[in-house]
Amino acid sequence: MKTLMIQLGNFFFRYRNQFFPAIILALFILVPPSTEMWGSGTANLLKTAAAIAVVLAGLALRTVVVGYAYIKRGGLNKRVYAKDLVTEGMFGVCRNPLYVGNMLVYTGIFLLHGNPLVIAIGVGLFAFMYQCIVYAEEVFLEQNFGEAYRAYCRDVPRWALRLENFRHSIDGMSFNFKRVVAKDYSTVSAALLAILATEMYRFAIAENLEHQRSYLLVLAALMALVGMATALVSHFKKHGAFREPKTSL
């Protein structure tokens, strides 16, 4: 079973940028979002607030990870690859903190959708796919870093956050906000657009659409604002605004 999961992990790693959004889109099209939860507007409002909080928690975790120690997750030629074994920053707290952040983001988006079946299938499927990717990465890392990686695995959990390690892991490091903006702005943008699009979808299919028009206009305006902010950050990035100065040896 694990051998099959490793093979699937290499596939998911290579095509995740196309495959993951397609899965979300397919689930949302097949099962429209819930317009009311347990027949209660208050319960629905609490569910929406909880979903957004989970998404923001995932983005916050990613911010801390990238701000202290960034590793290139794109691999090499879309294959699992790592030049160095990164164990500092949040990687001293959890071996896969970026993936934990991603799972929180996806969980929040599925929760925002609100249909119990979509939540169960979506969260379960993404958890399985990330576990496959992690198995594939672990094979590569053990083959290339040997005992150093095995010792790292003994000290740091795969998925849990061992927060007591945090202070020691960032000792001597400084938080790099420019790197966070440069490396993670597209993820933040995608998460915000997903929240807004899900809300628009949910209210567009609700009854009494006439009473929802003003809210839909607000959501559309926010989507346009996020899009413009993303384009602005991309423009500044292309012109070197977030480029890190080279350190001389």
Side-chain angles (χ1 to χ4, degrees):
M1 179 63 175
K2 187 173 180 179
T3 301
L4 175 61
M5 290 179 70
I6 292 170
Q7 293 172 347
L8 288 171
N10 285 309
F11 172 82
F12 293 142
F13 183 90
R14 184 167 190 173
Y15 296 107
R16 67 193 186 282
N17 291 338
Q18 298 81 27
F19 200 54
F20 286 13
I23 290 175
I24 296 175
L25 188 61
L27 285 173
F28 280 33
I29 291 174
L30 290 171
V31 184
S34 300
T35 55
E36 248 186 34
M37 189 174 186
W38 303 315
S40 167
T42 301
N44 187 68
L45 184 62
L46 291 173
K47 180 267 296 180
T48 299
I52 293 174
V54 172
V55 172
L56 293 179
L59 294 176
L61 176 57
R62 285 184 58 91
T63 294
V64 177
V65 176
V66 177
Y68 280 110
Y70 177 75
I71 62 173
K72 188 176 180 181
R73 281 291 185 181
L76 183 66
N77 297 323
K78 295 186 177 182
R79 296 178 184 275
V80 173
Y81 176 79
K83 183 179 178 181
D84 303 299
L85 179 62
V86 180
T87 61
E88 65 268 18
M90 282 300 294
F91 293 95
V93 175
C94 172
R95 300 206 306 267
N96 301 283
L98 286 173
Y99 292 164
V100 174
N102 290 350
M103 275 303 303
L104 286 171
V105 171
Y106 288 126
T107 299
I109 291 171
F110 289 125
L111 182 59
L112 186 64
H113 180 284
N115 184 281
L117 182 63
V118 168
I119 296 171
I121 293 176
V123 173
L125 187 56
F126 273 78
F128 172 76
M129 291 189 295
Y130 271 118
Q131 183 63 71
C132 290
I133 290 174
V134 165
Y135 278 158
E137 291 181 339
E138 287 176 348
V139 169
F140 176 90
L141 292 170
E142 185 169 10
Q143 287 176 347
N144 285 270
F145 300 105
E147 181 54 35
Y149 179 68
R150 289 189 287 272
Y152 172 57
C153 291
R154 288 193 293 269
D155 293 337
V156 180
R158 177 187 283 140
W159 290 112
L161 300 177
R162 189 169 289 171
L163 295 177
E164 62 268 25
N165 290 1
F166 181 67
R167 180 170 294 183
H168 174 73
S169 296
I170 65 167
D171 188 37
M173 303 179 71
S174 58
F175 187 83
N176 189 329
F177 183 73
K178 277 188 174 183
R179 183 169 62 218
V180 172
V181 176
K183 301 295 185 182
D184 226 32
Y185 78 95
S186 59
T187 300
V188 173
S189 174
L192 294 178
L193 290 174
I195 290 173
L196 293 169
T198 302
E199 277 290 278
M200 288 186 72
Y201 184 16
R202 189 161 63 87
F203 276 87
I205 64 174
E207 296 179 359
N208 301 319
L209 181 58
E210 284 293 329
H211 296 90
Q212 315 293 349
R213 289 190 186 279
S214 58
Y215 183 58
L216 289 172
L217 288 173
V218 170
L219 292 174
L222 289 173
M223 288 187 74
L225 188 62
V226 171
M228 288 188 292
T230 304
L232 191 62
V233 173
S234 177
H235 170 78
F236 282 120
K237 180 181 177 180
K238 287 178 181 177
H239 288 79
F242 306 112
R243 190 174 297 135
E244 298 179 42
K246 293 182 180 180
T247 56
S248 57
L249 297 176

